[in-house]
Amino acid sequence: MTPVRAAGGVVWRPAGNGVEICLIHRPRYDDWTLPKGKLEPGEHPLAAAVREVGEETDLRGVPQIRLPSVSYIRDGLPKTVDYWSMRGYEGEGLGVAGEVDGMCWLPVPAAVRRMTYDHDVRVLGDFAALPTVTTVLTLVRHAHAGRRGTWPGPDQGRPLDEEGLAQARAVAALQALTAPRRLLSASARRCLQTLDPLAELLDLPVEIDSSFDEPVPGQDAVENALVAAARLTELAAAGIPAAVCSQGKVIPAALARLAGDDRPERYATPKGGGWLLAFTDGRLAAADRL
């Protein structure tokens, strides 16, 4: 039996020396729970999570770190819910869900006591173990641009094809959820084009940053990865959310460097794919695939 797919968020805000968590009350079940809801057909789980938070709480949730999914039985059917930690901003959601009649903000211990379901308590426990996130970046690989050998001009000028243009639009919708304030691209035309839909959505310019270019013949690949990793660290330390587009020969080694991982193959990224990167004071706290 195919599980019902849903997504939601552990939405938090600063409070004193800690944080408060948003819980909702649903009269249909008379429960206190985390905001979540079913995916619409073809909807990405992250997009669904942000949408459901907006509809049920009237908050704009900015995703930071993916949390472990939970599975349980609801109304006789298996259900799987994907969760993200989210910084909540008031009065910027959609506020259209009719199944919620109450909302509260509580410190984590009080939220645990208020929650109706054990699976919510587990999710909140996973959230409580996270470091405090200070900056979120998205890092994507340029979208599909045909085959290198079929482009007659310089490779730097190779453009996205129709498949790539569709991929760029799709990944832009996900990157926009993190509310980036800077857009940075490697200098290749296909990288710039990959960020074009996001630039249009946010009315922001795309900045060319050669730190994210793939190595040229004769350039040391390790040194190239170090430069890209250092630039990502610099962006994160500045505390300004940003969206970055780089290339397939750069991303795996750069992320492995940031993560202190000697297995760069774990960060192989398909064209048009990418990462949600959460940082704590310039240090990588989590790298989750978009």
Side-chain angles (χ1 to χ4, degrees):
M1 186 179 298
T2 303
V4 174
R5 293 292 307 279
V10 177
V11 185
W12 66 273
R13 69 181 183 185
N17 294 323
V19 301
E20 293 179 329
I21 305 302
C22 176
L23 299 184
I24 60 169
H25 183 265
R26 301 180 298 178
R28 176 183 177 187
Y29 301 106
D30 190 22
D31 60 4
W32 285 96
T33 186
L34 298 167
K36 61 183 176 298
K38 296 178 184 177
L39 274 62
E40 296 178 349
E43 189 175 26
H44 191 285
L46 179 57
V50 174
R51 175 182 56 77
E52 286 290 340
V53 164
E55 291 178 356
E56 295 190 336
T57 68
D58 199 29
L59 300 170
R60 177 169 62 91
V62 176
Q64 297 183 326
I65 296 178
R66 182 165 187 163
L67 296 163
S69 303
V70 298
S71 297
Y72 52 91
I73 302 297
R74 166 65 73 184
D75 298 330
L77 296 173
K79 184 173 185 177
T80 297
V81 188
D82 299 322
Y83 285 101
W84 281 261
S85 65
M86 299 185 189
R87 171 70 166 91
Y89 295 89
E90 294 191 13
E92 299 186 53
L94 303 175
V96 298
E99 66 267 24
V100 175
D101 68 350
M103 185 181 89
C104 66
W105 291 95
L106 295 171
V108 171
V112 167
R113 293 191 295 271
R114 179 72 64 90
M115 286 175 161
T116 303
Y117 305 110
D118 289 341
H119 54 256
D120 281 348
V121 173
R122 293 196 300 272
V123 173
L124 191 52
D126 292 328
F127 167 82
L130 297 176
T132 300
V133 174
T134 54
T135 315
V136 170
L137 308 178
T138 56
L139 173 63
V140 301
R141 182 182 177 185
H142 69 76
H144 198 269
R147 299 179 64 86
R148 187 179 299 229
T150 62
W151 174 248
D155 189 61
Q156 282 286 90
R158 180 157 49 97
L160 298 185
D161 57 17
E162 288 302 315
E163 179 184 353
L165 292 172
Q167 289 176 333
R169 291 191 293 270
V171 77
L174 298 179
Q175 290 182 282
L177 299 175
T178 65
R181 289 160 48 197
R182 292 185 69 186
L183 312 182
L184 298 98
S185 171
S187 58
R189 180 182 180 186
R190 54 194 178 276
C191 296
L192 290 161
Q193 284 185 309
T194 298
L195 287 184
D196 278 346
L198 183 61
E200 185 174 350
L201 277 174
L202 302 179
D203 193 23
L204 289 173
V206 179
E207 307 170 40
I208 296 177
D209 191 327
S210 61
S211 302
F212 301 112
D213 287 3
E214 66 182 7
V216 298
Q219 184 178 9
D220 184 82
V222 173
E223 180 182 347
N224 180 266
L226 291 175
V227 169
R231 183 64 175 129
L232 289 169
T233 299
E234 181 181 25
L235 291 170
I240 299 173
V244 178
C245 183
S246 187
Q247 299 179 274
K249 294 180 181 179
V250 178
I251 293 173
L255 289 183
R257 175 74 181 182
L258 289 175
D261 191 337
D262 60 1
R263 296 163 293 178
E265 66 275 7
R266 297 181 64 189
Y267 304 95
T269 307
K271 292 176 182 177
W275 298 85
L276 177 66
L277 305 178
F279 290 82
T280 300
D281 297 326
R283 300 187 310 275
L284 184 67
D288 300 307
R289 289 186 183 271
L290 288 176

